[in-house]
Amino acid sequence: MQDVKIPGTMPVEAGRLRRGATILLFACGLALSACAAEVVPPSVATADNARTAIPLRMGGIQLASASGRYLAGRHARRTRDFGSAADFLSDALTLDAANQRIRRQIFFALVASGRMEEAIKAARIVVAANKDASTANLAIAIDDLRAGRYAKAAKRLSALPRRGMNNFTSPLLLGWTEAAQGNPDKAIAAIEGLSKVPSLAVLHHLHSGYILEMAGRKADAEAAFIAAGKKNQSLRVVQAHGQFLERVGRADEAKALYDALLVKAPGTASIEAALVRIADKRQPPPLVGNPSEGIAEVFFNLAGTLAQGRSVDLALVYGRFALHMRPDFPIARVLIAGLLESLKRREDAIAMYNSVKPDSALFWSSRLRKAAALDDLGRTDEAVAELRRMVAERPGDPEAAVRLGDMFRAKDRFDEAIAGYSDAIKRSGKLERQHWSLLYARGIAYERAKRWPDAEADFLQALKLSPEQPYVLNYLGYSWVDQGLHLDKAQGMIRRAVKLRPNDGYIVDSLGWVLYRLGEYSGAAKQLERAVVLRPEDPTINDHLGDAYWRVGRLLEARFQWRRALSLKPEAAEIPKIEQKLRQGLAANSGTDERG
C-alpha cells in the first residue's frame, strides 16, 4: 500500500489493501520551510565502498594504478561515497597533476565528507587556478572568519561574482563580518538588499533580529523577528522570536507562538522542549549568541532551502560549512544526517545521528531517525532494539511505540504491528481528533492480519474522530467493496474521498473499482483510465483497467493492460489470476469472481 505523510505522529497509507511500502513521517522544514527535520525519513541500502567495488582490471588488462584509482574515484563520487572519492581522486593526480577538474572534485568531496581542514587547503589550490570559484572561495572565507581575519574575508566575499547562491550568501556573510567587528548598522546595511526580494526577505528580517539583539537593541530586534514571522512562520523564525520573548520575560506570548506551530507540526521536538522549559521557568540562551553562530546559521538556513529545492549535494556542502563554524550545532547535524540518508549514505547518516548529544532537544528524534536508517540497511533487529529501549525510557510517550508499529507493518509482521499501535493508543490517553491516524494505521494492520471486525471498528472510530479524512474513507470504502459489502454506502464514501483528493490515483482507482463491482462498467473504465494516468506504474490499477475494458468489449486493450500489470511485478498471489485472465478472459457473470 502506498504511504503518504499525514500531519500527526505517524505515516499512513493513501492506497488500500495491497500496497506495502512504508514512508516514515519526515516532519518538514530542514530550515526555513515549516519545521525542522526532527522526526524520521526512509531509503534503500548504501553502495559498496568504492575501494572494493571498482577492480583495477578492465577487460583482462591491468590498469595503471592512477587511472584505475581515477575510475574508482568517479564511481565513489557517483555513489556519494565522498571520503573514498577524495582519496581515490587524490591518488589519480599522480597521473595528471595539472587537472583542475579533478582538483575541484577533490575539494567538493573533502567538504562533503566533513574533512574541512584538508578541504580548505584544496580550496586554495582551486582558487589559485580560478579566482571566481565560488564554493572554494567560501571555504577560504570561512577559514578567515574563524581566525578573526575579517578584512581578508570581507575582501574575498566582496569580490565574488553576484550570481547563483552568491546573490544572498555573500551579503549575509558580509553582514556578519561587520557584526563581528562591532558594526551593527553596517551589518544591517550589508543585508538590506535581501529585503527587496520576496523569497529572501525572511532571511533579511531573521538575521537582522539576531544582529540587533546581539547589539543590545531589543526593540529593533523584536520588530525584525515580528517582520520575519509575517513572511514565514517556520520553525527557525518561531524559535528565534519565541526565545527572545522568553528572555525578556514574556513567556506567555512565547508559549502562544509555540502552541500555534505545534498545531501545524505536531511532535516538533525543540518546540516541545521549549514548552517544558517555560513550565520550569527557565530562560533559554539566544538562538544565535555570537557572530560565528550567526555565520553558521546562514549556512544552515541556506542548506535547508537548497535541500527543499533538491540541490542535495550543495545543501550538504553548506551544511558542512555550518558545522565547521559551529561544531556544537545539533540541528545542523540532524540536517546533514537527513541529507546523507537522501543520498543513500546510511552508515554515514547513522554516525551523524549518533553524534547528537544526549542533552540536546533533538537527541530523541535523532534516535528515532537512526532506528529508521538501521531498518533501511536491513539491520532491523538493531532498530527494533533501539525503539524498545526508547519505549521503556518514556512510559507516557507513544512515539517510539508508533515507530515500532510502522516498522513491523512494513515487514508484514502484522501481529507485532498491532501490538505496537495498541501500546501507542494506550499511551495516548483520551483519543482526540489528531489520533485518527493512529487508529487508521492499526486498522490497516488488523485488516492485513485478516481480523476484519477489529479493522472495521478502528476505521469507523477514526472517522468519528475526523469524519473528512479521505484516506480512511477510501480504505474503508474499498475494503467494503472488495468484500461485496455496503456497496452504495462505500460508493458515497469513495466519491467523497475523490472530491477531497481528486489527483490521488489510488483513490480514483477505488471509485472505478466500486463502479465495476456495481456493474457500471463504462463509468468504471472512465475512472480507471484516469487512475492509470495518475499512477501508471501500479500493477493493480492496470489490472483493474483490464477487467473494465473486458466488460465493455475492448478485449485487445484488456489483454494489453493485463500484460502490463504482470510486467509491473504484482503481488505473488495475483500473478496466477492475471495469467488465467490472459488465457481465458473473464467469465460472463457480474464480475465479482475475479478478486475472490
Side-chain angles (χ1 to χ4, degrees):
M1 219 176 257
Q2 174 68 27
D3 285 346
V4 296
K5 190 185 81 173
I6 301 293
T9 59
M10 49 180 296
V12 291
E13 294 155 14
R16 296 170 299 272
L17 303 90
R18 57 199 188 267
R19 302 176 178 101
T22 294
I23 297 178
L24 292 166
L25 176 66
F26 190 0
C28 64
L30 294 170
L32 284 173
S33 63
C35 62
E38 295 186 359
V39 202
V40 190
S43 192
V44 204
T46 57
D48 292 336
N49 185 293
R51 291 186 182 276
T52 57
I54 297 294
L56 296 184
R57 296 182 66 86
M58 293 182 65
I61 301 172
Q62 183 70 36
L63 295 171
S65 175
S67 59
R69 289 183 177 276
Y70 172 70
L71 292 173
R74 287 186 60 185
H75 174 80
R77 176 67 182 84
R78 282 196 301 273
T79 60
R80 308 309 207 281
D81 183 1
F82 297 112
S84 294
D87 293 337
F88 282 131
L89 292 171
S90 295
D91 290 344
L93 281 176
T94 61
L95 187 69
D96 187 3
N99 192 313
Q100 295 304 315
R101 183 169 180 269
I102 294 177
R103 290 195 180 278
R104 289 194 301 271
Q105 292 176 341
I106 291 168
F107 161 70
F108 180 90
L110 287 168
V111 177
S113 60
R115 292 157 61 176
M116 285 299 301
E117 298 302 330
E118 296 170 74
I120 290 164
K121 292 177 183 177
R124 296 188 185 281
I125 298 172
V126 170
V127 169
N130 177 11
K131 63 183 179 63
D132 292 334
S134 295
T135 311
N137 270 300
L138 283 178
I140 299 170
I142 288 171
D143 190 50
D144 288 335
L145 289 167
R146 290 184 79 215
R149 297 188 292 266
Y150 301 121
K152 290 185 70 173
K155 182 178 179 181
R156 186 175 299 278
L157 292 166
S158 298
L160 281 176
R162 293 297 177 92
R163 59 173 181 257
M165 291 295 291
N166 287 342
N167 283 321
F168 29 94
T169 306
S170 293
L172 285 165
L173 294 179
L174 284 167
W176 279 107
T177 301
E178 292 292 351
Q181 298 174 84
N183 303 320
D185 290 330
K186 289 183 179 180
I188 299 301
I191 66 175
E192 183 60 34
L194 299 181
S195 67
K196 298 175 175 59
V197 182
S199 60
L200 303 178
V202 64
L203 282 173
H204 166 266
H205 299 315
L206 184 62
H207 284 268
S208 294
Y210 294 144
I211 291 166
L212 290 164
E213 185 182 7
M214 203 175 301
R217 293 161 57 176
K218 293 184 178 180
D220 293 337
E222 182 176 10
F225 290 137
I226 291 171
K230 289 179 180 177
K231 295 290 182 182
N232 188 337
Q233 280 291 315
S234 69
L235 170 68
R236 215 61 180 160
V237 171
V238 169
Q239 282 183 301
H241 189 192
Q243 290 185 201
F244 171 86
L245 291 170
E246 288 184 70
R247 285 191 299 279
V248 297
R250 291 153 61 190
D252 288 347
E253 294 175 58
K255 184 178 183 300
L257 280 177
Y258 299 150
D259 287 340
L261 183 65
L262 284 177
V263 171
K264 295 187 294 183
T268 304
S270 57
I271 297 300
E272 292 181 339
L275 292 174
V276 171
R277 182 176 63 233
I278 288 173
D280 292 344
K281 300 188 184 317
R282 291 181 287 115
Q283 287 192 355
L287 205 59
V288 171
N290 57 57
S292 291
E293 292 180 357
I295 294 163
E297 188 79 9
V298 169
F299 286 114
F300 169 71
N301 294 155
L302 296 178
T305 301
L306 285 164
Q308 293 157 32
R310 303 190 183 282
S311 301
V312 178
D313 284 5
L314 187 56
L316 179 59
V317 166
Y318 275 45
R320 293 292 192 184
F321 285 166
L323 205 57
H324 189 59
M325 286 301 303
R326 185 178 181 179
D328 186 16
F329 199 0
I331 198 169
R333 291 183 179 276
V334 173
L335 179 148
I336 291 168
L339 292 170
L340 290 167
E341 283 199 78
S342 72
L343 295 171
K344 299 181 175 61
R345 302 305 305 172
R346 301 292 172 187
E347 296 285 3
D348 296 334
I350 289 167
M352 187 59 72
Y353 288 134
N354 282 334
S355 73
V356 177
K357 296 178 180 178
D359 61 355
S360 167
L362 299 180
F363 180 62
W364 182 262
S365 57
S366 295
R367 292 172 68 191
L368 292 172
R369 297 177 62 131
K370 180 180 77 171
L374 287 167
D375 183 45
D376 288 331
L377 282 172
R379 295 160 60 182
T380 302
D381 289 346
E382 294 176 62
V384 168
E386 176 72 359
L387 290 173
R388 291 200 189 284
R389 283 192 292 271
M390 296 175 75
V391 166
E393 287 170 21
R394 292 190 180 180
D397 191 328
E399 184 66 15
V402 171
R403 300 299 173 191
L404 275 173
D406 293 339
M407 195 171 291
F408 287 133
R409 179 162 57 88
K411 299 287 187 295
D412 293 344
R413 294 162 61 175
F414 299 116
D415 289 338
E416 291 166 288
I418 291 164
Y421 292 136
S422 296
D423 186 16
I425 289 170
K426 182 178 179 181
R427 290 163 179 255
S428 297
K430 181 183 177 182
L431 295 184
E432 299 178 349
R433 186 179 186 279
Q434 69 269 22
H435 295 113
W436 72 266
S437 57
L438 185 49
L439 289 163
Y440 176 43
R442 188 175 69 173
I444 293 168
Y446 274 137
E447 186 275 326
R448 298 301 298 271
K450 303 190 185 306
R451 294 172 57 179
W452 175 245
D454 293 322
E456 186 178 45
D458 271 355
F459 294 144
L460 290 170
Q461 189 177 0
L463 285 176
K464 284 183 179 179
L465 294 175
S466 187
E468 290 288 279
Q469 287 300 332
Y471 306 112
V472 186
L473 291 167
N474 177 62
Y475 204 113
L476 178 56
Y478 184 91
S479 300
W480 278 343
V481 171
D482 218 43
Q483 299 173 64
L485 301 172
H486 316 301
L487 294 181
D488 289 337
K489 186 175 182 180
Q491 181 180 183
M493 291 169 66
I494 295 171
R495 285 191 183 278
R496 180 59 183 159
V498 169
K499 188 172 183 180
L500 292 165
R501 297 279 297 183
N503 294 318
D504 189 310
Y506 299 124
I507 295 178
V508 174
D509 175 45
S510 293
L511 178 56
W513 193 239
V514 73
L515 292 172
Y516 181 91
R517 294 300 292 262
L518 290 169
E520 299 177 22
Y521 301 126
S522 179
K526 182 178 178 181
Q527 293 294 334
L528 292 167
E529 284 173 338
R530 183 163 171 264
V532 163
V533 169
L534 292 167
R535 287 285 180 178
E537 302 303 317
D538 185 271
T540 303
I541 297 176
N542 281 274
D543 184 27
H544 282 176
L545 180 56
D547 291 0
Y549 277 160
W550 185 274
R551 294 298 179 194
V552 296
R554 297 163 65 176
L555 307 187
L556 289 176
E557 292 169 277
R559 285 197 162 92
F560 174 84
Q561 291 302 142
W562 290 331
R563 289 191 187 96
R564 176 160 175 75
L566 280 178
S567 75
L568 296 172
K569 299 181 180 178
E571 291 185 4
E574 298 302 316
I575 293 173
K577 299 176 186 178
I578 299 172
E579 290 174 339
Q580 182 178 350
K581 288 187 289 190
L582 280 167
R583 290 192 302 269
Q584 301 174 5
L586 294 176
N589 61 19
S590 65
T592 58
D593 58 324
E594 297 92 323
R595 297 290 175 268

